[in-house]
Amino acid sequence: MALRHKDLLGLADLSPEEIEHILEQAEAMREVLEREIKKVPALRGRVVVNLFYEPSTRTRFSFELAAKYLSAETVSVAAATASVVKGEGLLDTARTVEALGADVVVLRHPSAGAAAFLARHVKAAVINAGDGMHEHPTQALLDLFTVKRHKGRIKGLTVTIVGDILHSRVARSNIWGFSKLGARVRVCGPATLIPPGLEELGVEVYYQLEEALEGADVVYVLRLQRERFSEQTFLPGPEEYARLYGLNRERLRLAQPDALVMHPGPMNRGLEIAAEVAELDRAVIEEQVTNGVAVRMACLYLLMRRGEA
Amino acid sequence: MPGKGGWQVVILRDKAQILDAEGMRRTLTRMAHEILERNKGVENLALVGIRRRGVPLAKRLAALIRDIEGQAVPVGALDITLYRDDLTQLSYQPIVYRTEIDFPVTGKRIVLVDDVLYTGRTVRAALDALMDLGRPNVIQLAVLIDRGHRELPIRADYVGKNVPTSRKEEVAVMVKEIDGEDKVVIRERED
C-alpha cells in the first residue's frame, strides 16, 4: 500500500485504504513521540515550507514540530491575507518557495481550492492545512487516529458532529473520513448552519441536539466563531446557542456511557462546550493535539518518500 | 529487465539450501550458549530484534536462554526504517513499523539480533536508533547468516553461519512466524 497522490488536498480524494495506511504509519510516529529523544533522521536535508495566509498557531506549530522531529528543515512564512486574495499572488510566492528548494509546501489559505491550485503549479508536494470552507484533511486524520486508538475501530461507530457545519472545513473533512471508514455520521446544528444537500453524502441531519446524541460513540463539538453572532442571519445570540446546542453533562448522558468527547480547539468554554465536560477523562481534546503531530509526521514522510522511485 | 512503470523485475531461483529447520534450531542453540558465555549469565542482558525477521529470531534466542539459564531476558523489537540512509535507492514506499522496546536500554547489555548481515548499513541504522532510546553499556551483534560484502566497519559478535556469496545472489532467511517455515536458502538472480 502506498499513497498514490503527489499531494494531500482533502479526504474526498483518498481511498479508504490510503486513509488506513496513513493511520498505521501515524501509529509508528506516535511511538517516536513517546521517546525521550523525539527525533529521527528520516527526512534529513529535506525542506518543508509552512505557508500560512491565515493565522493558526496550533496547526502551524504542529506541522513545524512534525517536520523537526523527522529532521527536516522548516521555514514558516506568515503572509498577510490582504496581499494574496488573487491566485497570482499565491502562485508567485509558491514559485519562489520552490526555487528555494522546498520539498513540501504546507498551505493554509482562506480560499477554498487554494491548495489544489498550488499543487497544479509546483513540483513540491502540497499539504492542505485548511482551505477556506473546503477541507482540513490532517485535522480529520488526527481525529480518526484518536478515535481508532480509543475504540480500536471506526467501522460501525456512530459519530455526532455538532455546531457550525456550514462554515467548517473540519466538519467536511471529518464527514468524508468517518464515512469512508464505515462510521455512521450525524450532524447537528441550527438550520442556518447546516448546508443543504448533506444527506446526499450519506449523513444524517439533526436539528435537535438531544436526538443527535442518542447512542453516539463519538461527540465532536465544533468551535463556534463568535463573528457568526454579528452576522445576524446565522444566529440569535450566544446564550441561546449555548442553551440549545452547548454540550453539557446532562446532554452527554444521552450518548454511550463511554462516548468520546472531541473538539478541534481552541474551545469556547461555556458556549459550545461546558467547562466540566471538557475536563472529563473521556474528553480527548489534548490528546488530539499530540496525535496531530504524529499524523502530520506520517503525512510528511509518506508524501516525501512517494517521489523517490 | 525493465518492468511495468519502470520497476525493475528481478527473477530469483533457489540455488542451494543452507539450513533446514533442525539446522536452524541447533545453530540458534549454539548462539544462545555463546551469548551466555560471553556475558557471564543474564544479568542486565536484553535482546533487541531488528524488524522484521530479527524479531522472531531474538524471541527464540531469549526462549533458549531461559531454558538454559532458567531466567527470562527482556526482548524488544526495533524498526529502523526512519533511520535508513539508502531510501533513495528503493523503488517502493517503505512501511514504518512500531519500535517496541518496553524496558530502559540505559545501562543494559544489548544483543542486537538480525537475520542476515550484508553491507552493514542496517546495523549502523540500528545502532543510531538504539542510541536515541538511551545509553546501553554494551551493544553486541548476533546474526544468523553473515554473507560478507561489508561497506562499513561492522562485524558480528555471534554468527550462526558464514556464507560467502556473490552480489548476484540473495540470502533468504525464512521463519515460521512470518513465512510459515524455517529454512535458509541462497537464491540467484536470473540474467
Side-chain angles (χ1 to χ4, degrees), chain A:
Chain A
M1 182 65 234
L3 279 194
R4 284 191 297 269
H5 306 268
K6 171 173 99 54
D7 315 283
L8 177 61
L9 303 177
L11 293 202
D13 316 323
L14 294 185
S15 67
E17 293 74 26
E18 284 174 304
I19 297 174
E20 293 278 11
H21 182 56
I22 297 172
L23 300 183
E24 277 165 31
Q25 295 299 277
E27 194 61 53
M29 300 302 176
R30 175 71 214 220
E31 181 271 317
V32 174
L33 294 183
E34 284 158 14
R35 297 181 188 175
E36 209 173 321
I37 299 172
K38 302 172 182 54
K39 196 166 177 112
V40 292
L43 299 184
R44 204 166 53 192
R46 301 314 186 89
V47 178
V48 177
V49 175
N50 290 314
L51 202 51
F52 276 62
Y53 288 96
E54 259 183 1
S56 159
T57 319
R58 273 171 193 249
T59 308
R60 190 164 61 84
F61 278 6
S62 184
F63 269 109
E64 247 180 67
L65 275 180
K68 286 187 155 86
Y69 288 158
L70 292 171
S71 300
E73 301 301 324
T74 63
V75 182
S76 286
V77 185
T81 315
S83 67
V84 286
V85 235
K86 286 185 190 167
E88 268 181 32
L90 175 61
L91 189 56
D92 285 342
T93 317
R95 289 212 168 120
T96 311
V97 159
E98 199 169 50
L100 291 171
D103 297 290
V104 177
V105 181
V106 177
L107 180 73
R108 160 69 63 98
H109 200 281
S111 307
F117 170 81
L118 183 64
R120 280 197 301 274
H121 291 93
V122 295
K123 283 200 291 296
V126 175
I127 298 182
N128 180 7
D131 59 335
M133 284 155 55
H134 178 227
E135 280 226 45
H136 192 354
T138 53
Q139 174 70 45
L141 287 166
L142 76 89
D143 294 330
L144 289 164
F145 181 73
T146 307
V147 172
K148 206 171 173 193
R149 271 178 85 91
H150 281 271
K151 300 284 181 192
R153 67 192 165 105
I154 302 291
K155 203 178 164 81
L157 296 178
T158 300
V159 179
T160 301
I161 306 175
V162 189
D164 181 357
I165 310 295
L166 178 65
H167 298 97
S168 175
R169 52 194 174 210
V170 173
R172 222 168 300 271
S173 288
N174 267 306
I175 289 170
W176 285 116
F178 278 103
S179 319
K180 284 189 178 194
L181 297 194
R184 180 175 165 192
V185 180
R186 298 171 177 171
V187 299
C188 178
T192 48
L193 295 179
I194 305 270
L198 260 190
E199 289 91 344
E200 286 158 31
L201 297 177
V203 175
E204 299 165 33
V205 176
Y206 293 81
Y207 302 102
Q208 296 286 329
L209 182 53
E210 287 74 9
E211 289 172 20
L213 290 175
E214 197 71 54
D217 298 290
V218 175
V219 184
Y220 198 101
V221 185
L222 296 170
R223 171 178 167 79
L224 193 68
Q225 304 290 341
R226 287 188 181 266
E227 59 262 31
R228 304 286 175 238
F229 295 116
S230 51
E231 298 161 14
Q232 286 290 325
T233 44
F234 290 119
L235 289 167
E239 298 76 19
E240 188 172 340
Y241 183 86
R243 189 161 53 78
L244 292 172
Y245 294 101
L247 184 67
N248 56 31
R249 206 184 266 270
E250 292 82 76
R251 288 198 172 121
L252 187 58
R253 286 203 187 95
L254 298 165
Q256 294 289 350
D258 60 348
L260 295 180
V261 176
M262 303 177 75
H263 191 292
M267 289 179 277
N268 295 302
R269 287 187 177 79
L271 180 60
E272 71 258 5
I273 188 164
E276 55 170 9
V277 171
E279 300 309 320
L280 292 174
D281 280 348
R282 55 202 170 96
V284 292
I285 298 157
E286 277 168 35
E287 197 188 321
Q288 284 173 270
V289 178
T290 309
N291 290 341
V293 180
V295 161
R296 288 175 178 122
M297 286 168 77
C299 294
L300 288 171
Y301 181 77
L302 290 174
L303 286 178
M304 256 186 251
R305 287 300 176 211
R306 193 205 62 89
E308 293 178 355

Side-chain angles (χ1 to χ4, degrees), chain B residues 28-39:
Chain B
L28 287 170
T29 307
R30 172 178 50 78
M31 290 169 75
H33 279 287
E34 285 173 1
I35 291 169
L36 284 170
E37 195 177 340
R38 165 114 47 126
N39 291 287

